[in-house]
Amino acid sequence: MKLAKTLFLCSAATFAGAGVRAADLPAKAKAIEYVKTCSLYGAGFYYIPGTDTCIKLGGYLRVQAGLTTNSLYDAANSGSAGAQNRLRNVYSTGSREDLTIDTRTQTDYGVVRTFFDSVFTWNAGGYAGTAAVNGSTAYSGAAVAGGTLGVYYAFIQFAGLTIGKAQSQFSAPWANYPGNNFDGLPGGGGWDPVNQFTYTADFGQGITASFSAQDQVQHDTTNIWNVSAATASGLATGAYGGNDIAGTASPDFIAMLRVDQAWGVFQAAVAAHDNHAAYYGADEATGHPADKWGWAGQLALSIKNIPTGPGDTVNLTGVYTNGASRYNFQDYMSTSYAMYGGTGLAGAYQSVGLGGLSDAVFVAGSGQELTTTYGFRGGYTHNWDPRWATSVYGAWAAVRYNNTAKGYICGAFLATLALSSGAAGCNPDFNYAVVGLMTGWTPIKNLTFSADLAYTMLDQKYARGSTVTLPVQAGIAKPGATYELKDQNSLTLLLRAQRNW
């Protein structure tokens, strides 16, 4: 009996083992789908396995520091930076990782493309005075382990259409960077992408025409000032009224013609911009001004491979706007300026340069008065050798208010800030200019170290020797006192290290 039991157990174990081994045998493996290079659209593209869609990943990592400014994107022209006191940052720093995803698929209608560009950014902030407690400040900016997520591009291209967030068709390909890293150049459309619906017709030989409707919110609107709502604290910062913009009514409309050939690029663009104001007072019963359309026109020219050396370029842009000021003072720039400095005028505490930018102004019961601007920007880049390059660049822009608008603004100045020169010396027009020099060193491919020195000038038009009485401004630690109205300037240096991949 014992022998029979032993034989039975051995047999059962043998069959069980055979079953386990059979179950462990692997099924026939599927063929491995290796990632294949896609040569249809240039270097860096690969087929997404199992599809006929090609994809390319890219981006950059950037570390930078701006000297004598509280912003990495603009001059020391307002706020704590413009105050030129102990609240101004001697330096400001930032770090960023950029990620791009480019996909393309061949179809019966041509190539379908999607493009996405996002940024993870950490920028240092600064300190400002607090009105609630005398002698104290508060920090604003990124936390130590904070930062922001931004979306630059997110668009689809199909059969001549561009739908989504892309660079404005109004802007030249180099936008506000004719030869610089410094962001705060006026004189034409900016780089920052904007939501749009665009059709582009390609006539061959590098000649294209685009027609576009683009979102004007934030991107294409400066201020619509209700001067009846002006305050002493606002006027002291260059804000000439309450910003009285209503909800969306119409996109901006763009038409653009471009010639892009071996010698360079020529582009002409026009834009139409609807100024849609809110109400005269606190509620809808107070009424509102009628909409008023503004416009902008721009010419741009790039000349490549000029005789000074291989790869040398000249980029030029000129612009005129009426009721569409963002197409000159692009959205990386401030729209109100308050820059402080010294004074030699007896009885004045310091000097200040004030400037305010708008698309239109009005007072209670009036229509909108459109603001006119014009300007230009340009840059020349010389390549010393494959590793070193230097650029010289500049920009100039003018802001002009008509006589009616000047009457509104000067009425507020005289009544609120006690302008010493009276109505005869009141002129809110101003000019704004930047000149700069940038040098970059690329020791290895896609790694560049650069230094960009920019000198910014605010040329205000109030009568020379005029004074204003400004209120206490706790945020920038300025006392209530008499200030001389005077031209001002700012010198900034932007240092950058960037690795593209």
Side-chain angles (χ1 to χ4, degrees), residues 133-144:
V133 181
N134 292 330
S136 66
T137 60
Y139 175 81
S140 63
V144 173

Side-chain angles (χ1 to χ4, degrees), residues 143-195:
V144 173
T148 60
L149 172 63
V151 175
Y152 282 148
Y153 289 89
F155 65 79
I156 300 169
Q157 287 182 322
F158 171 71
L161 298 175
T162 298
I163 306 169
K165 204 165 186 279
Q167 183 174 308
S168 172
Q169 304 302 313
F170 185 88
S171 297
W174 55 91
N176 49 306
Y177 304 103
N180 52 294
N181 285 337
F182 177 74
D183 297 281
L185 260 62
W191 172 84
D192 225 1
V194 58
N195 269 341

